[in-house]
Amino acid sequence: MSPEDVEEQLRRAGRPEAPPEHLQRAVLNLPRGSSPRISRTRVVRLGVAAALALAVLAGVSIVVTRGNPAIQPVATVQLRNAVGAGAEVRIGSPNGPNRPLELSVQHLQPGSERYYELWSYGDHPPMMLATFMTSKDGSCTIRLSIPRTADWQDLVITPRDRADQPLLCSNHGRC
Amino acid sequence: MSDERLERPIVALPAMPGGLGPRRLADASDEEVLTLLASGSELAFRTIWQRYGAAVFSLCLRRLSDRGAAEDATQEAFTNIWKRAATFNPDRGSAAGWLFAVSRNAAAQEARHHRRDAVPVAVLDQSQAADEEEAVTRLAVHAALTRIPATERAVLELAYFDDLSHSQIADRLSLPLGTVKTRIRSGLLRLQQYLEGARP
């Protein structure tokens, strides 16, 4: 194959169409056992229903969240970086095949509302545990379940889709 | 999609199946990534999406002429890629060829679902076979483009997709003409390397 062949193939290929962001999110969630594909019509209907339900439940959720005690941690893991941001992960006791986990993040890139990912680098290959978003002050608290056998000591927070760019790490050598 | 991500180590993987060892996943060939994907690696799946997401979506869009249907077909294709990566056999063809077949079938299924004209799948005459071959090449070219540095990809896209002259590209990107020529040359060489690696 000559460079001229490559030029010809490029011309014939034409510019690829960029997939929309929501498709990327849907596809990248497939390995995590997301539900089977739902038709777009159904998605619209579900979206409307979900929006209505959210509007109704908004006030209730605040009350529930305030009233819901934090998990009883059996271990706590601190994540830090060099510029003062931090996170704490509270690990709960196993409940069946999974265990609860609560993540609190502070001062993570304040001023922007971004997506982040929580990874367990102690698992091989590394396992993404959660995708989350912070408020504008760079903080958030989320609760989730992870497999009881998942490693929770070597945790890393990265920007979404940037698994090579650790922002906060429990193993400080990584950040 | 940023290619900076592909330029850097995605993550250190000390013991990767398929003999990849601690290499950067971004440097692995499509065949190696598919082999790793067959073992259930999410990072391998993301890498295949980074390389082939736009290519598969473009293929589906070209075949279905409907963005919504193309989105559904793309999602179906990647569902099958995730579930059936173990059926890929590098001795029987290239990764691009296998990914094309999966994507073509997903598009055909979507077309049938919408009662559009089904895409020919089983028996191909000579012209159809040529079309299929060109489609595989297109898929491989689009995937290879995601693997070269953004600086080189930008000038190649302007030169070959937008048909701009080197001088026009230099003006557009505020770059010296020599830099544009260098990036085009090195970008073509890199593409050539990836495409030769992708040939059956």
Side-chain angles (χ1 to χ4, degrees):
Chain A
M1 180 184 288
S2 68
E4 289 74 26
D5 294 332
V6 178
E7 289 181 300
E8 179 59 21
Q9 289 189 356
L10 263 177
R11 285 199 182 92
R12 293 172 73 92
R15 187 187 294 278
E17 192 78 23
E21 181 74 15
H22 64 87
L23 176 61
Q24 171 162 320
R25 278 199 300 274
V27 168
L28 292 181
N29 275 327
L30 288 172
R32 256 153 272 136
S34 61
S35 55
R37 185 163 57 96
I38 301 171
S39 76
R40 279 160 284 131
T41 318
R42 198 169 157 217
V43 166
V44 171
R45 275 196 238 120
L46 286 172
V48 171
L52 287 171
L54 277 175
V56 170
L57 292 174
V60 177
S61 66
I62 292 169
V63 173
V64 169
T65 304
R66 284 180 180 164
N68 192 8
I71 63 170
Q72 296 300 318
V74 294
T76 301
V77 180
Q78 304 288 335
L79 287 78
R80 292 277 178 269
N81 69 4
V83 293
E88 184 175 275
V89 176
R90 289 172 286 282
I91 313 293
S93 298
N95 178 12
N98 297 299
R99 69 166 76 236
L101 180 155
E102 185 177 81
L103 166 70
S104 295
V105 179
Q106 295 90 34
H107 308 301
L108 182 57
Q109 300 183 319
S112 59
E113 294 177 287
R114 297 184 183 173
Y115 289 98
Y116 298 98
E117 293 171 347
L118 174 66
W119 288 80
S120 164
Y121 274 26
D123 285 293
H124 298 287
M127 181 191 303
M128 190 203 289
L129 302 178
T131 302
F132 61 95
M133 194 175 188
T134 57
S135 53
K136 279 198 172 165
D137 64 358
S139 67
C140 74
T141 296
I142 59 167
R143 291 175 196 166
L144 59 143
S145 289
I146 63 171
R148 63 180 296 159
T149 52
D151 178 272
W152 44 263
Q153 298 188 47
D154 191 359
L155 299 176
V156 172
I157 290 174
T158 70
R160 193 181 75 80
D161 230 7
R162 292 273 181 165
D164 60 323
Q165 293 183 8
L167 294 172
L168 294 172
C169 309
S170 59
N171 174 352
H172 297 179
R174 291 194 187 278
C175 285
Chain B
M1 246 180 284
S2 164
D3 41 33
E4 286 175 31
R5 177 181 52 235
L6 296 173
E7 289 302 299
R8 297 174 184 154
I10 289 181
V11 69
L13 295 172
M16 297 169 76
L20 289 183
R23 290 169 52 200
R24 302 189 313 171
L25 191 55
D27 291 336
S29 70
D30 293 339
E31 285 74 18
E32 289 173 314
V33 178
L34 272 184
T35 303
L36 183 60
L37 173 54
S39 72
S41 165
E42 280 190 38
L43 283 176
F45 182 73
R46 294 169 79 90
T47 303
I48 289 293
W49 168 260
Q50 286 157 12
R51 292 184 188 176
Y52 282 90
V56 169
F57 180 60
S58 300
L59 183 151
C60 293
L61 190 56
R62 183 182 282 257
R63 295 200 162 214
L64 295 164
S65 303
D66 178 287
R67 288 189 73 86
E71 289 176 21
D72 285 352
T74 302
Q75 191 168 338
E76 184 65 29
F78 275 89
T79 301
N80 291 333
I81 289 167
W82 170 249
K83 289 180 177 171
R84 298 178 190 163
T87 65
F88 167 66
N89 181 351
D91 296 333
R92 294 175 58 191
S94 67
W98 185 81
L99 290 162
F100 166 76
V102 172
S103 307
R104 174 199 59 194
N105 291 343
Q109 187 180 341
E110 185 66 23
R112 282 193 295 272
H113 183 68
H114 288 275
R115 296 183 182 176
R116 295 191 178 91
D117 291 337
V119 180
V121 174
V123 182
L124 303 175
D125 65 24
Q126 200 168 7
S127 68
Q128 286 170 332
D131 287 347
E132 299 276 287
E133 192 177 331
E134 180 159 342
V136 175
T137 302
R138 189 182 301 119
L139 201 74
V141 169
H142 288 162
L145 267 175
T146 68
R147 299 179 66 183
I148 68 173
T151 50
E152 293 174 1
R153 189 171 68 241
V155 293
L156 289 182
E157 288 179 346
L158 289 171
Y160 297 101
F161 297 160
D162 297 340
D163 221 16
L164 297 189
S165 69
H166 293 183
S167 303
Q168 288 171 317
I169 296 171
D171 286 344
R172 175 81 64 92
L173 300 179
S174 302
L175 290 172
L177 184 57
T179 303
V180 170
K181 290 183 174 178
T182 302
R183 288 182 183 177
I184 286 181
R185 195 163 49 245
S186 58
L188 287 174
L189 284 172
R190 240 185 274 267
L191 273 185
Q192 181 181 355
Q193 175 194 338
Y194 288 136
L195 290 172
E196 284 180 341
R199 280 198 294 190

